Amino acid sequence: MEEGERCILPGGVIPAEMLSIPSNTSHVLKLGPGLRHVPPSAIISTTAGELCIDQKKNTVWVENCNGRYIPTIGDLVIAQLHHSSPEVYFCAITSYTAFASLPHLAFASATKKTRPQLGAGSIVYARISLANKHFDPELECVNPNTNKADGLGELKGGMIFDISLVMARRLMMPGGKGAVCILEEFAQKTPFEVAVGRNGKLWIESKAIKTTLVIGNAIVETDREALDLNSQRTLVRKLLKAI
């Protein structure tokens, strides 16, 4: 299939021939952002962009560059706590969507006595557990399968950088499939922590503020300038001299 043939428009029905045959027929085809199932068998695009397919996970979604994040169940996001009620934290995922609710007990091993005490402005790394047009998004900071945090929860310190939704997805792709090597190159020379939100947020924490800024700005520049792998490595070598 040619790359141009994967470009789709809002409201368009996805032809069966555009969907690759899944490698794992025991799993149901999963629809990601930008697609909606209309019974009995139609798949409709809700946004313009490129149709992307992950055969191993039997997943299909629409990749778009409009910069507007649509909450989707299962997405990992970086959210900022805005205010709280006796049972729920209300968090901002983006500046244009309704506040997402994060129950006080939606943390690993949380009870009424041990639940985290978060204040306005706190940053959390969370998974979207509920998202549809009838309800505001809901978050959780615990893996429901293991009842462990698995990296979710409050993000202390560090800095947040804005990146495009495409870059966020590229950074979250395993095995170098996203064609981004910036983080791996820096990790060989200096320690740091990172969290990537599907909502276009990047959190970085290191021992020195200067190092955090250098790494974050390198990702932002790679995103803005669409740097290839060789250009990324050249940029890292240049920036490491300043750390």
Side-chain angles (χ1 to χ4, degrees):
M1 182 185 297
E2 294 297 328
E3 204 61 32
E5 294 177 349
R6 289 177 179 247
C7 294
I8 55 179
L9 298 174
V13 178
I14 309 302
E17 55 268 22
M18 290 187 71
L19 302 174
S20 300
I21 298 175
S23 59
N24 190 343
T25 56
S26 64
H27 292 171
V28 177
L29 180 66
K30 298 178 182 179
L31 301 184
L35 294 174
R36 179 166 58 91
H37 173 240
V38 177
S41 59
I43 298 178
I44 306 296
S45 171
T46 60
T47 186
E50 179 186 350
L51 186 68
C52 298
I53 300 170
D54 187 328
Q55 290 187 334
K56 291 184 178 180
K57 295 183 179 180
N58 292 351
T59 303
V60 59
W61 70 92
V62 177
E63 192 70 77
N64 65 78
C65 303
N66 60 15
R68 190 174 181 86
Y69 172 69
I70 300 174
T72 303
I73 292 177
D75 278 358
L76 297 176
V77 297
I78 295 175
Q80 184 176 40
L81 193 152
H82 185 270
H83 64 281
S84 175
S85 72
E87 301 293 335
V88 175
Y89 294 117
F90 293 94
C91 305
I93 299 177
T94 70
S95 59
Y96 47 79
T97 55
F99 290 128
S101 60
L102 173 61
H104 289 183
L105 300 183
F107 292 80
S109 304
T111 66
K112 289 187 176 181
K113 291 185 178 180
T114 63
R115 63 189 183 185
Q117 302 297 319
L118 304 179
S122 296
I123 306 298
V124 294
Y125 195 37
R127 177 184 292 104
I128 294 181
S129 57
L130 175 66
N132 61 53
K133 62 181 180 180
H134 302 294
F135 301 98
D136 292 338
E138 186 169 312
L139 306 175
E140 60 184 2
C141 288
V142 59
N143 187 328
N145 297 320
T146 63
N147 289 323
K148 297 181 179 180
D150 290 342
L152 302 178
E154 184 181 10
L155 297 176
K156 299 180 180 180
M159 295 183 181
I160 292 181
F161 300 84
D162 291 323
I163 56 178
S164 71
L165 302 186
V166 173
M167 175 57 77
R169 184 176 289 279
R170 289 173 62 191
L171 287 170
M172 299 175 87
M173 288 181 176
K177 292 182 180 180
V180 182
C181 65
I182 287 283
L183 296 178
E184 289 77 5
E185 292 292 321
F186 274 114
Q188 295 178 16
K189 300 297 183 180
T190 183
F192 62 92
E193 295 181 68
V194 63
V196 181
R198 189 63 186 87
N199 55 331
K201 302 295 181 181
L202 173 70
W203 174 86
I204 296 177
E205 163 71 349
S206 68
K207 295 181 179 180
I209 294 178
K210 185 176 182 179
T211 301
T212 300
L213 283 170
V214 166
I215 297 173
N217 288 332
I219 291 292
V220 172
E221 182 174 343
T222 298
D223 186 16
R224 183 181 63 247
E225 304 297 333
L227 301 181
D228 60 20
L229 291 174
N230 288 332
S231 297
Q232 292 175 44
R233 295 187 180 98
T234 300
L235 176 63
V236 172
R237 287 195 295 268
K238 175 184 177 182
L239 294 176
L240 281 172
K241 297 178 181 178
I243 297 178

